[in-house]
Amino acid sequence: MFKNLKNDLPSSLVVFFVALPLCLGIALASGAPLFSGVIAGIIGGIIVGAASGSSLGVSGPAAGLAVVVLTAISDLGSYELFLVAVVLAGIMQIILGLLKAGVIGYFFPSSVIKGMLSAIGIIIFLKQIPLAMGFDDQSESVFSFFETTGQDTFLSLAHMTDYVSVGVVLITAISLMILLLWDKVLAKRSKFFKLVPGPLVAVIAGIIYQLIFRDTASILEITGNNLVIVPVPDGISDFIGQFTFPDFTQLGNSKIYMVAITIAVVASLETLLSVEATDKLDPKKRVTPTNRELMAQGLGNTFSGLVGGLPITQVIVRSTANVMSGGKTKLSTILHGFLLLFSVLLIPRFLNLIPLGVLAAVLLIIGYKLANPKQYVQMFKLGKSQFVPFVVTVVAIVATDLLVGILLGLSVGIITILINSYKNSHFLHIEDVSNGKSKMKMVFAEEVTFLNKGAIQRELNSLPKNTSLDIDVTKTKSLDLDVLEILDDFAITASNRNINIKLISERGEFENPVNYREIFGVEVFEPAH
């Protein structure tokens, strides 16, 4: 695992700087103690990272669960009771993993996964614009970074001009120039620039800027919520005092179990979607064992609930940052967890010097890479069956939220499959026309189900009189009863229209059959008269 340390260490630094403000912001949006977000980030990095089979996936608190957490804390009446639900949710996820429920993740089409990645990229990009301008309002609309509603995103954009900070705009611009110069020019010229990550240089530049201009009362000063805010403990006892523990005296409360089931289901779905998306981004195309991932997430949520942390999922934003910054193995994920732990223990005041504009610059570039316009052209070239579910997923996620968007995209994907199945049940062509009689051949597909009966019925009804029809089912492995009934009914009308039928099957050839169900060995009990 340590042979890729030269790649994993710089990548872990980038993930750390991306994860830290997210951990705090998601805790804020969830109505939970700020430290609970950091706890979840630490456990997601160290415990889940070690137990997971994912090479590049990064786990931690997810904005997609923020509304669930906020509502649950209010309904249960205390954060301590909510922690009991988190512990139970973790146990449920372990059971789901043992039951091999991870296979659910494989049922999401690639067009929907790509649409999810692109939509998240758009939201990442849009969410950073207010922060890059100095939007000084740490409300949910700002801190529900990536899986929140489009209404909040655009509301932030509409009001950002009211909060423009010259200092924030300047440091964001400086950071963007550093990142672009580092990635496009310097990294190609020397191994040194590949070893030292550009985001780390941008963060150092941001801290130097803050040290120069703080307390100057000039327009270049950056203050308040435009800086990273980490709780600063006065000592070990104060640090330990930031932990909250679950209240197991209320285990008989049915509301706790309902919340636990909700968290387990939503967290598992988000994790499986993130796993699928991260595996697609992996340059080595490694495949994450999904059942093991569910158990790892369950282990993480159990520990997180026991020590006061938020629910954990594998998170696509941090995972993407890991991939984009050159991470190779799960060592990067584990190291980022230790960096979170050491930062809140040793250097919280130092971290509080980092302008959020620097982190916004890092995420602007990540967002653009995810939502690259070239991908839209590529998906369009693949045809409607890929492009339509892709676009629907993108629009739905940006306009609503992650899970609703995924479900809409999946629904469109299923409808596309049904339409294609409707079209591809059979092949009908005219072989020749002689003596005024048309000769036609209908070749059935390998699988013909009730979904195809409408198309087949239409073709049979459109046949002209005096036709010779060959029905070829030699390649058909499954022929639904609904279709057999249509053929039985057509046998009656065919004789009235002087249509001669020959059935060609593996059982032999049959001239003008009148009972297809009997030929195919389907026993049907007619109602008594």
Side-chain angles (χ1 to χ4, degrees):
M1 187 168 62
F2 289 93
K3 67 180 181 180
N4 291 294
L5 184 62
K6 65 178 182 180
N7 300 106
D8 289 332
L9 181 58
S11 179
S12 69
L13 288 168
V14 174
V15 177
F16 160 69
F17 284 120
V18 170
L20 181 63
L22 291 180
C23 290
L24 297 168
I26 291 166
L28 184 69
S30 302
L34 285 182
F35 193 58
S36 66
V38 180
I39 293 171
I42 293 168
I43 292 174
I46 299 173
I47 294 178
V48 178
S52 171
S54 175
S55 299
L56 297 172
V58 181
S59 298
L65 281 169
V67 175
V68 175
V69 175
L70 186 67
T71 305
I73 294 173
S74 175
D75 289 345
L76 294 175
S78 74
Y79 187 65
E80 288 78 8
L81 289 182
F82 170 74
L83 292 177
V84 178
V86 176
V87 173
L88 294 174
I91 295 171
M92 291 176 189
Q93 284 184 294
I94 293 172
I95 294 171
L96 286 173
L98 292 171
L99 294 175
K100 302 190 183 303
V103 71
I104 295 169
Y106 296 125
F107 289 96
F108 291 89
S110 62
S111 57
V112 174
I113 301 299
K114 290 175 182 176
M116 179 186 75
L117 287 169
S118 186
I120 289 172
I122 291 171
I123 297 173
I124 290 173
F125 194 92
L126 292 175
K127 281 295 182 183
Q128 304 322 302
I129 295 174
L131 292 176
M133 300 293 288
F135 191 93
D136 190 18
D137 178 15
Q138 290 189 355
S139 64
E140 182 181 344
S141 64
V142 176
F143 272 102
S144 294
F145 273 87
F146 308 112
E147 294 134 23
T148 185
T149 63
Q151 182 182 0
D152 285 340
T153 302
F154 295 114
L155 187 63
S156 297
L157 292 173
H159 293 293
M160 68 182 179
T161 52
D162 299 333
Y163 299 89
V164 172
S165 166
V166 176
V168 174
V169 172
L170 180 59
I171 193 57
T172 302
I174 292 171
S175 300
L176 281 172
M177 285 190 289
I178 290 172
L179 292 168
L180 292 172
L181 182 67
W182 214 267
D183 184 42
K184 301 296 183 182
V185 181
L186 298 178
K188 296 178 181 178
R189 294 187 177 182
S190 171
K191 290 183 179 180
F192 170 78
F193 295 109
K194 288 184 179 179
L195 184 63
V196 180
L200 177 60
V201 179
V203 166
I204 293 171
I207 291 173
I208 293 172
Y209 179 97
Q210 180 62 12
L211 289 172
I212 293 172
F213 289 104
R214 70 173 176 176
D215 300 326
T216 59
S218 69
I219 59 171
L220 298 179
E221 182 183 4
I222 300 174
T223 59
N225 293 333
N226 286 312
L227 297 167
V228 169
I229 302 174
V230 179
V232 182
D234 295 327
I236 294 295
S237 60
D238 192 23
F239 175 75
I240 295 173
Q242 294 182 88
F243 290 89
T244 309
F245 302 100
D247 179 10
F248 288 109
T249 61
Q250 299 294 315
L251 269 176
N253 188 338
S254 61
K255 289 184 178 179
I256 291 176
Y257 293 91
M258 292 303 298
V259 171
I261 292 170
T262 303
I263 293 171
V265 171
V266 175
S268 297
L269 282 176
E270 289 204 21
T271 291
L272 292 173
L273 290 171
S274 180
V275 164
E276 188 80 4
T278 305
D279 285 351
K280 286 188 179 298
L281 293 173
D282 185 1
K284 296 183 178 181
K285 301 304 176 187
R286 290 165 287 192
V287 178
T288 299
T290 51
N291 296 318
R292 177 177 170 182
E293 187 63 32
L294 284 180
M295 288 188 280
Q297 296 293 329
L299 184 66
N301 274 319
T302 302
F303 272 96
S304 186
L306 288 172
V307 294
L310 289 175
I312 294 169
T313 73
Q314 189 180 121
V315 197
I316 186 60
V317 177
R318 273 155 271 189
S319 301
T320 301
N322 193 20
V323 177
M324 298 295 184
S325 54
K328 300 295 183 185
T329 72
K330 65 181 183 179
L331 179 63
S332 173
T333 301
I334 297 169
L335 287 175
H336 116 275
F338 279 109
L339 287 171
L340 284 171
L341 176 61
F342 294 150
S343 66
V344 295
L345 274 174
L346 305 176
I347 54 168
R349 288 184 175 84
F350 184 74
L351 294 175
N352 288 343
L353 293 173
I354 302 172
L356 286 180
V358 175
L359 305 176
V362 173
L363 292 168
L364 280 170
I365 289 178
I366 289 175
Y368 178 80
K369 287 181 178 179
L370 275 177
N372 196 316
K374 290 181 181 178
Q375 188 177 32
Y376 289 79
V377 177
Q378 292 171 352
M379 294 301 293
F380 181 77
K381 289 179 179 178
L382 291 174
K384 292 181 181 179
S385 62
Q386 294 293 313
F387 186 67
V388 173
F390 171 79
V391 170
V392 169
T393 304
V394 172
V395 174
I397 290 177
V398 173
T400 57
D401 61 40
L402 184 69
L403 288 176
V404 171
I406 287 290
L407 291 175
L408 283 174
L410 184 60
S411 300
V412 172
I414 291 172
I415 291 170
T416 303
I417 292 170
L418 294 180
I419 291 172
N420 289 335
S421 176
Y422 175 83
K423 292 178 179 178
N424 299 327
S425 61
H426 63 280
F427 175 66
L428 180 70
H429 67 282
I430 300 174
E431 291 194 333
D432 60 40
V433 179
S434 58
N435 299 322
K437 196 164 188 174
S438 300
K439 186 175 182 181
M440 296 188 180
K441 188 174 185 179
M442 179 181 283
V443 181
F444 279 18
E446 188 172 333
E447 297 280 341
V448 184
T449 70
F450 72 95
L451 298 170
N452 310 124
K453 65 181 184 180
I456 294 171
Q457 182 83 67
R458 186 187 69 244
E459 295 282 19
L460 294 174
N461 290 339
S462 66
L463 290 175
K465 294 180 179 180
N466 304 314
T467 299
S468 177
L469 174 66
D470 290 351
I471 300 176
D472 188 345
V473 294
T474 53
K475 295 181 180 179
T476 305
K477 303 297 182 186
S478 175
L479 195 58
D480 209 353
L481 175 63
D482 296 74
V483 179
L484 291 174
E485 288 178 348
I486 287 175
L487 294 176
D488 278 345
D489 293 341
F490 179 69
I492 298 171
T493 59
S495 61
N496 298 330
R497 293 159 56 191
N498 195 28
I499 296 175
N500 186 65
I501 303 172
K502 180 196 290 184
L503 177 67
I504 305 170
S505 72
E506 290 182 346
R507 294 177 175 86
E509 295 185 2
F510 303 86
E511 291 285 345
N512 293 315
V514 293
N515 194 330
Y516 288 84
R517 289 174 288 183
E518 184 178 310
I519 293 172
F520 285 93
V522 178
E523 190 173 0
V524 178
F525 295 95
E526 300 291 350
H529 295 288

